[in-house]
Amino acid sequence: MPSPHNIFTLKDTLTENRIFLSRIVVIFSFIVFLMLVLISRLIYLQIVGHEHYASLATRNRIKISSIPPTRGIIYDRNGRILADNLPSYSLEIIPEQVPDLDDTLKRLQVLLEIPDKKIAEFHKQRKRRKRFINTPLLLRLTEEEVANFAVMRPFFPGVDIHARLVRRYPYSFLTAHVVGYVGRINEKELKKLPPAEYRGTYHIGKNGIEKSYETLLHGKAGYKEVETNAQGRDVNVLNVVEPESGTKLYLSLDIDLQKTAYKTLEGYNGALVAIDIDTGGVLAMVSRPSYNPNSFIYGISNKEYAALRDSTDRPLFDRALRGQYPPGSTVKPFIGLAGLEHDIMNFQSKVYCSGYYQLPNHKHKFRDWKRWGHGSTDLNKAITESCDVYFYNLAVLMGIDKMHDFMTKFGFGEKTGIDLDGEKPGLFPSQAWKNKVKKQPWYPGNSIITAIGQGFTLATPLQLARATATLANRGQIVTPHLVDRIVYANHTTSKIQQPKKIINLKPQNVDNVINSMINVVHSSSGTAKRLAKGIKYKIAGKTGTAQVFTVKQNARYNEDAIDYKLRDHALFVSFAPADKPKIAVAVIVENGGHGGSVAAPMAAKVMQQFLEDNNLLDEN
Amino acid sequence: MKIETRNEHFQSSSIIGKILAKLHIDTLLFVGLGLVCALSFLILYSASNQDMALLSRQVIRIGFAFCLMTALAYINPDQFKRYSVGLYILGVLLLIAVLIMGDVGKGAQRWLNLGFFKFQPSEMIKITTPMMISWYLSKHGFPLKLKQLVIAGILICMPTLLIAKQPDLGTSLLVASSGAAVLFFAGLSWRFMLITGIVLTSLTPVLWHFMHDYQRGRVLTFLNPEADPMGSGYHIIQSKIAIGSGGIYGKGWLGSTQSKLDYLPESSTDFIFAVFAEEFGLIGSFVLLILYLLIIVRCLYIALEAQDTYSRLLAGSLTFTFFVYIFVNIGMVIGILPVVGVPLPLVSYGGTSMVTLLASFGILMSIHTHRKFLPH
């Protein structure tokens, strides 16, 4: 029999057992519940969020690094390189692979005569980079330095020479305005560029062909998919897509002709544009003074840039493309043709030139450049001798709007559409233009000076060359362009086609005007008659002298008495051979004086060389 | 009354079963623990980037821990009861010693350098605290009165606070929960638990005040890991990426990219579950959790079958602590709990926690295999 004490204990034990059992059940349910919480969270992460986290894991793991393409090379029409890529060597160090960095740097300092400043700079950069990434110590090593290091390389583990391709312009000043240059991408450009294409590229075309054909020259960036670990070290290359080099550009430019044109302008500020009449290809395009485009590649120094920018001769300014000058008498053949086409007069109609022109009931005398006049003048004489009064008279009869419409067909007042950025349109005025822009009515006096290329009229050398080429081409419009053919990375070539547009002109009128232009050079009274000496073919041309400032009534223009910068600009437009036109040239020589004596010989020299080099003279 | 030692496995027919029974090893528990350890080797090999040296170190540790488990299983639980007080006092004294002259590691003082090996008294106290409370309550316990509650509370708080001071939030949490579990199994009234819960919740701001900066940081990070993705939130974000990218079927063994490429820190220790879930997916995680649950069920059964108050309280508490390990670790890795340094039991690389855990399983086996048989 159990004792009372035992009964109490037993009862107590039973209660205790009961409570313990219930507590075990509670704790078990609690544990199961929390397990379910864990599982539901796992379901959320691994099923619901799987895609999201999987992509995050991939992004963690795979780094895409860009492989920059090689920039396309630019050639002239004969395959001579105008812009290419040369390796630039830099000395780089991977700190991780260097056993004793301080010792290595000391020995390098002795070997390559590195200033302490560069070492300090290196340390600064190194601290910002990972130990396994190369940090540059020296940039732009000379060939000698490269050779010196190459010999000692085995003694410098972790130090190596890296080559990068850098743009170079072998013809330097000669092609600066045409080819342009590349420079470091600035912030503004960075925002506009497609980031994937330009990752890993530090330079972009800033000017000229380099700018206008940037997309083609740049090529297509390749990329490398690399598996990287958390420290950013490459572990494994998963996929490589090779870059596609930029396209090769063959310009219509003839670098020999360009050289001649550049030389012939020596000593002057001015521009010369030569166009291949058959194709519209620009053969030479010079603006002087010029600059060295190679200076811009690494970033030009402030001092050097300031010198270029502040020079009164404005070397950075592309006069051929952007220089807007009064075309002066060079417009006369076109105005004359306009008169013929509009039947204002015929080729034989004569005007008496007494040295000046007066509007009916007006006292103002519009003077001819020849003080005593040309006498009885027809269009041939008016062009050959560049009579102003003839054209004053014609302008008043024709009116400005007919003149404007006709000249616009030849591209005056409009951009030529050449494949370069920043072209200026020039200006050929009309009544509407004056009303709108000047808020003034058109006066007959305005028409008078417009007819001799003065007043509001402005044209670029490129426009003049183009208009002349179009005239030589008998109204078939010549559209100038620099790139002749594009050779793609896959070796296919595309050739630039000239758009076919024709100005309807009566052949007789064109013949008459061109004959008059031949007389400018080949008749004894022509303003450019000195060119005719010694050539077997015919040149058609027109001289021009553009006034920089207005000579007062009754005053005489005296070249020697006035400041050089106020002297007249000398112009000459021409093409040759006159019977089978191949090349058209326009020249502007700032403050050069008379077109016939200064500008015309330059054009003649360029045309002569072109015709000779291309064997276009045999038949004559 | 005739009292004899009963061991059901004496009837077992197989030789292995007989050996295990002779060694006082509980077969089911042994198999469960063995399976988890096998999974651990598998995943450790992958998480350590196939570091054979690391893996063999862990195998040796587990071997040692299994020996300790077997030794403890062989000891009669009455002996544990007898030495409970002494071991507890020793543990607390060692904790004080650690605070005075312990080694500093990772910004916390946790180790006593005993010359030949480093000893972490906080691990020992994880077992001795529930032993002490079980002993105390089995002596004076039923039904639980306020006086005993207060004394038990003090006995729990002493080691807990000493460990929190090291600071080691994870371990102090485990010690506190093991003590509290004993009270729970001893029949702590629901009303009291509710009141304690409310009081503790209202004390949170005070607790915040006493927390170390890095602990506060962890809580803030837990609340919003994306606020500092490259800094303190990095662990949790990378761990979630690992788990989520694993999907249902996982990336396959050795297929983890997050740990292989070092994106996941602590991938072979505290965050090893992330690697496991990345490689074996939801299905693998589910299997692991089920294995854990089976071990827990067996342990709870052992507690239920235990024949005296001390044994059942201790068994229940050790089981619950095992679960707290699992829940706190996985909860942290999957981003539902703040980051506290608690390893995944039996799986994470590291010796100390492994030894403690298997020691507690040894005690559980001892309790089960040394039951006194009561005749009908």
Side-chain angles (χ1 to χ4, degrees):
Chain A
M1 279 299 285
S3 65
H5 177 77
N6 272 350
I7 294 169
F8 180 69
T9 321
L10 203 64
K11 188 190 151 209
D12 229 20
T13 310
L14 283 174
T15 328
E16 206 186 314
N17 281 347
R18 194 171 43 76
I19 288 175
F20 188 72
L21 177 65
S22 77
R23 288 291 155 110
I24 290 281
V25 170
V26 168
I27 211 83
F28 179 70
S29 328
F30 180 62
I31 286 173
V32 169
F33 168 73
L34 288 183
M35 284 278 195
L36 287 175
V37 169
L38 292 182
I39 285 172
S40 50
R41 171 69 173 177
L42 281 171
I43 288 174
Y44 169 76
L45 287 177
Q46 300 194 291
I47 296 178
V48 181
H50 172 62
E51 231 166 272
H52 171 65
Y53 288 114
S55 78
L56 284 181
T58 309
R59 222 189 300 159
N60 247 351
R61 183 168 74 94
I62 295 174
K63 191 180 72 185
I64 295 182
S65 60
S66 182
I67 312 173
T70 310
R71 197 171 176 85
I73 295 172
I74 304 173
Y75 302 89
D76 88 336
R77 66 191 291 125
N78 297 315
R80 272 164 300 185
I81 292 172
L82 306 182
D84 65 352
N85 309 302
L86 285 189
S88 159
Y89 300 100
S90 60
L91 191 70
E92 300 185 5
I93 296 180
I94 302 172
E96 190 188 57
Q97 295 172 4
V98 178
D100 182 346
L101 190 61
D102 286 329
D103 176 60
T104 301
L105 287 174
K106 250 180 227 154
R107 287 187 294 134
L108 280 173
Q109 249 186 311
V110 175
L111 181 68
L112 300 171
E113 292 163 16
I114 306 168
D116 288 338
K117 212 179 96 191
K118 294 259 180 191
I119 301 282
E121 233 168 73
F122 168 77
H123 281 299
K124 220 183 197 174
Q125 274 208 42
R126 179 173 66 89
K127 273 167 198 150
R128 271 185 269 128
R129 289 167 175 237
K130 300 250 159 89
R131 284 182 52 76
F132 52 85
I133 290 177
N134 39 346
T135 306
L137 174 64
L138 277 183
L139 296 172
R140 275 178 275 165
L141 270 74
T142 61
E143 301 266 328
E144 198 188 327
E145 284 170 325
V146 171
N148 279 347
F149 178 78
V151 177
M152 302 298 281
R153 197 176 160 269
F155 303 102
F156 293 98
V159 185
D160 217 340
I161 287 182
H162 288 249
R164 260 184 315 143
L165 291 177
V166 170
R167 203 68 160 165
R168 197 194 55 142
Y169 304 104
Y171 291 99
S172 176
F173 286 84
L174 272 187
T175 57
H177 291 112
V178 176
V179 174
Y181 55 84
V182 296
R184 288 203 176 275
I185 298 173
N186 63 33
E187 259 175 67
K188 216 170 97 191
E189 288 159 342
L190 198 62
K191 276 180 200 154
K192 283 188 203 155
L193 292 171
E197 283 297 326
Y198 280 85
R199 214 168 277 136
T201 301
Y202 303 101
H203 290 92
I204 186 177
K206 299 274 187 184
N207 234 323
I209 291 291
E210 291 276 29
K211 185 182 185 189
S212 55
Y213 286 89
E214 171 61 30
T215 323
L216 284 174
L217 286 169
H218 175 69
K220 275 191 125 120
Y223 59 89
K224 213 168 36 168
E225 281 177 45
V226 188
E227 194 173 45
T228 54
N229 69 9
Q231 288 84 47
R233 191 192 296 268
D234 293 358
V235 178
N236 195 7
V237 177
L238 301 174
N239 187 21
V240 180
V241 173
E242 293 293 345
E244 200 176 278
S245 319
T247 58
K248 292 175 184 166
L249 295 183
Y250 284 85
L251 304 192
S252 52
L253 205 74
D254 178 342
I255 193 66
D256 290 335
L257 206 62
Q258 179 85 354
K259 206 181 281 174
T260 303
Y262 185 79
K263 268 196 187 148
T264 182
L265 267 166
E266 185 146 10
Y268 292 104
N269 292 352
L272 182 150
V273 178
I275 296 179
D276 181 336
I277 293 169
D278 291 336
T279 64
V282 174
L283 297 166
M285 190 164 166
V286 169
S287 170
R288 279 197 84 145
S290 185
Y291 58 91
N292 184 356
N294 294 305
S295 305
F296 285 85
I297 296 167
Y298 282 110
I300 190 168
S301 73
N302 279 338
K303 204 176 139 196
E304 197 181 341
Y305 184 69
L308 287 174
R309 184 194 53 204
D310 300 337
S311 162
T312 47
D313 292 331
R314 301 176 72 195
L316 295 175
F317 182 62
D318 185 356
R319 289 170 163 80
L321 187 71
R322 296 166 59 79
Q324 301 185 105
Y325 301 88
S329 302
T330 57
V331 298
K332 283 176 182 167
F334 304 96
I335 302 287
L337 186 59
L340 295 176
E341 288 290 317
H342 282 112
D343 284 326
I344 308 297
M345 73 323 185
N346 60 43
F347 191 57
Q348 285 76 33
S349 307
K350 285 190 171 66
V351 169
Y352 187 79
C353 169
S354 57
Y356 63 88
Y357 177 85
Q358 274 177 313
L359 282 165
N361 310 320
H362 279 75
K363 275 195 177 157
H364 185 96
K365 286 179 176 172
F366 292 92
R367 295 193 177 279
D368 196 281
W369 66 271
K370 208 172 185 180
R371 208 168 157 70
W372 48 89
H374 297 270
S376 180
T377 306
D378 61 7
L379 184 57
N380 178 47
K381 189 178 174 186
I383 290 176
T384 308
E385 297 180 11
S386 201
C387 169
D388 292 333
V389 170
Y390 182 93
F391 288 97
Y392 295 154
N393 186 56
L394 177 58
V396 173
L397 294 175
M398 185 160 36
I400 184 62
D401 287 342
K402 276 182 185 161
M403 240 193 307
H404 167 265
D405 292 349
F406 188 83
M407 296 300 274
T408 304
K409 289 180 192 166
F410 279 85
F412 285 91
E414 282 179 348
K415 291 184 183 181
T416 64
I418 193 174
D419 43 356
L420 286 176
D421 275 9
E423 187 189 1
K424 289 282 181 193
L427 176 67
F428 201 91
S430 65
Q431 286 204 47
W433 170 83
K434 199 183 177 197
N435 291 340
K436 197 177 152 204
V437 177
K438 297 273 170 187
K439 308 243 180 305
Q440 280 173 356
W442 188 263
Y443 300 114
N446 297 141
S447 303
I448 288 169
I449 56 171
T450 300
I452 60 157
Q454 296 284 160
F456 301 117
T457 315
L458 292 171
T460 66
L462 182 65
Q463 280 179 320
L464 289 176
R466 187 247 188 133
T468 308
T470 303
L471 179 62
N473 217 12
R474 298 174 164 272
Q476 189 159 323
I477 292 175
V478 174
T479 305
H481 56 86
L482 270 161
V483 170
D484 180 56
R485 55 191 197 279
I486 299 167
V487 181
Y488 293 94
N490 60 7
H491 304 296
T492 56
T493 302
S494 79
K495 207 165 156 66
I496 303 301
Q497 293 300 325
Q498 170 108 290
K500 289 236 181 289
K501 267 196 334 201
I502 294 178
I503 309 170
N504 284 317
L505 299 167
K506 288 185 193 116
Q508 188 56 50
N509 291 341
V510 178
D511 284 343
N512 287 335
V513 169
I514 289 178
N515 282 330
S516 310
M517 287 174 77
I518 293 172
N519 287 334
V520 169
V521 178
H522 295 277
S523 86
S524 56
S525 60
T527 50
K529 62 184 175 207
R530 65 175 67 184
L531 297 189
K533 264 186 202 161
I535 60 165
K536 291 178 190 146
Y537 55 93
K538 291 260 160 56
I539 294 176
K542 180 71 194 82
T543 57
T545 306
Q547 286 179 6
V548 176
F549 87 121
T550 312
V551 184
K552 289 198 189 83
Q553 289 283 308
N554 303 320
R556 284 181 70 180
Y557 174 80
N558 181 350
E559 194 173 86
D560 300 328
I562 60 168
D563 189 40
Y564 181 82
K565 286 276 162 196
L566 295 177
R567 278 194 206 165
D568 293 344
H569 295 333
L571 293 94
F572 190 64
V573 299
S574 56
F575 58 89
D579 51 342
K580 274 186 187 157
K582 292 292 174 194
I583 179 172
V585 177
V587 187
I588 285 183
V589 183
E590 287 181 12
N591 318 113
H594 293 292
S597 51
V598 178
M602 297 177 179
K605 207 169 178 186
V606 168
M607 290 190 290
Q608 171 80 19
Q609 183 177 327
F610 177 75
L611 296 174
E612 272 176 10
D613 287 355
N614 293 281
N615 300 317
L616 296 166
L617 298 172
D618 319 4
E619 297 159 47
N620 289 321
Chain B
M1 262 192 283
K2 190 184 169 210
I3 294 167
E4 62 173 274
T5 304
R6 174 194 172 220
N7 191 326
E8 59 206 26
H9 298 301
F10 276 134
Q11 284 95 44
S12 177
S13 55
S14 78
I15 297 167
I16 296 168
K18 275 180 182 157
I19 293 169
L20 288 175
K22 274 236 167 80
L23 289 173
H24 288 267
I25 297 272
D26 181 72
T27 317
L28 286 176
L29 205 48
F30 186 81
V31 169
L33 295 174
L35 281 175
V36 176
C37 286
L39 281 180
S40 160
F41 295 148
L42 214 59
I43 203 66
L44 255 181
Y45 183 64
S46 173
S48 66
N49 269 337
Q50 306 169 31
D51 183 348
M52 217 46 217
L54 180 139
L55 187 61
S56 42
R57 276 201 300 279
Q58 185 71 355
V59 170
I60 290 166
R61 275 181 196 147
I62 287 188
F64 172 75
F66 263 85
C67 292
L68 180 68
M69 177 181 83
T70 314
L72 290 176
Y74 203 76
I75 298 169
N76 193 300
D78 290 344
Q79 301 295 323
F80 297 129
K81 190 173 177 181
R82 188 176 302 157
Y83 293 112
S84 290
V85 183
L87 287 170
Y88 174 79
I89 291 170
L90 180 67
V92 172
L93 287 176
L94 286 173
L95 281 178
I96 293 168
V98 160
L99 278 186
I100 295 167
M101 52 190 203
D103 274 8
V104 178
K106 288 189 188 173
Q109 281 183 309
R110 290 174 191 175
W111 286 275
L112 265 188
N113 200 337
L114 298 183
F116 55 99
F117 78 109
K118 282 183 175 179
F119 178 68
Q120 215 175 331
S122 56
E123 285 298 325
M124 172 188 163
I125 209 82
K126 276 185 200 163
I127 297 181
T128 52
T129 302
M131 278 166 77
M132 178 68 201
I133 312 295
S134 303
W135 172 85
Y136 178 70
L137 292 183
S138 67
K139 271 266 185 299
H140 313 280
F142 196 79
L144 215 52
K145 293 189 192 69
L146 189 64
K147 183 191 151 201
Q148 285 123 30
L149 201 61
V150 171
I151 289 172
I154 292 167
L155 290 173
I156 296 169
C157 281
M158 262 200 300
T160 303
L161 291 177
L162 282 170
I163 296 167
K165 189 99 178 71
Q166 286 180 351
D168 184 351
L169 201 61
T171 308
S172 74
L173 195 86
L174 286 168
V175 170
S177 80
S178 70
V182 179
L183 289 173
F184 175 80
F185 287 116
L188 190 62
S189 76
W190 292 108
R191 201 178 45 171
F192 182 83
M193 283 190 272
L194 189 70
I195 291 166
T196 316
I198 292 168
V199 170
L200 280 182
T201 313
S202 60
L203 276 178
T204 311
V206 183
L207 188 70
W208 178 259
H209 182 74
F210 282 106
M211 271 207 254
H212 278 260
D213 277 347
Y214 88 94
Q215 290 166 333
R216 286 184 195 173
R218 280 179 181 179
V219 175
L220 289 177
T221 300
F222 159 67
L223 293 173
N224 185 15
E226 276 78 11
D228 186 9
M230 292 323 283
S232 48
Y234 185 77
H235 275 55
I236 294 173
I237 290 172
Q238 294 301 338
S239 149
K240 283 201 289 191
I241 290 174
I243 296 167
S245 65
I248 298 176
Y249 305 105
K251 295 177 183 171
W253 187 49
L254 302 180
S256 154
T257 59
Q258 283 288 100
S259 91
K260 194 174 79 193
L261 301 172
D262 297 340
Y263 288 102
L264 185 66
E266 308 281 337
S267 61
S268 48
T269 54
D270 287 357
F271 279 82
I272 197 162
F273 181 76
V275 185
F276 188 89
E278 188 183 0
E279 296 196 348
F280 299 125
L282 183 62
I283 292 173
S285 311
F286 191 71
V287 167
L288 182 65
L289 285 176
I290 290 293
L291 260 178
Y292 276 136
L293 191 63
L294 289 176
I295 290 170
I296 287 167
V297 167
R298 181 63 185 169
C299 291
L300 288 177
Y301 174 76
I302 287 173
L304 209 55
E305 290 272 285
Q307 289 176 334
D308 63 82
T309 313
Y310 174 79
S311 299
R312 64 164 61 135
L313 290 183
L314 182 58
S317 165
L318 292 177
T319 308
F320 185 68
T321 307
F322 178 64
F323 171 72
V324 172
Y325 259 107
I326 298 165
F327 184 72
V328 171
N329 178 272
I330 297 183
M332 152 185 100
V333 172
I334 64 181
I336 58 174
L337 289 179
V339 174
V340 281
V342 172
L344 185 64
L346 306 175
V347 179
S348 284
Y349 176 76
T352 31
S353 75
M354 180 71 73
V355 170
T356 320
L357 273 162
L358 285 176
S360 62
F361 283 111
I363 292 169
L364 278 160
M365 288 179 182
S366 153
I367 289 168
H368 197 55
T369 55
H370 291 90
R371 275 172 299 164
K372 295 165 186 81
F373 185 66
L374 283 170
H376 300 286

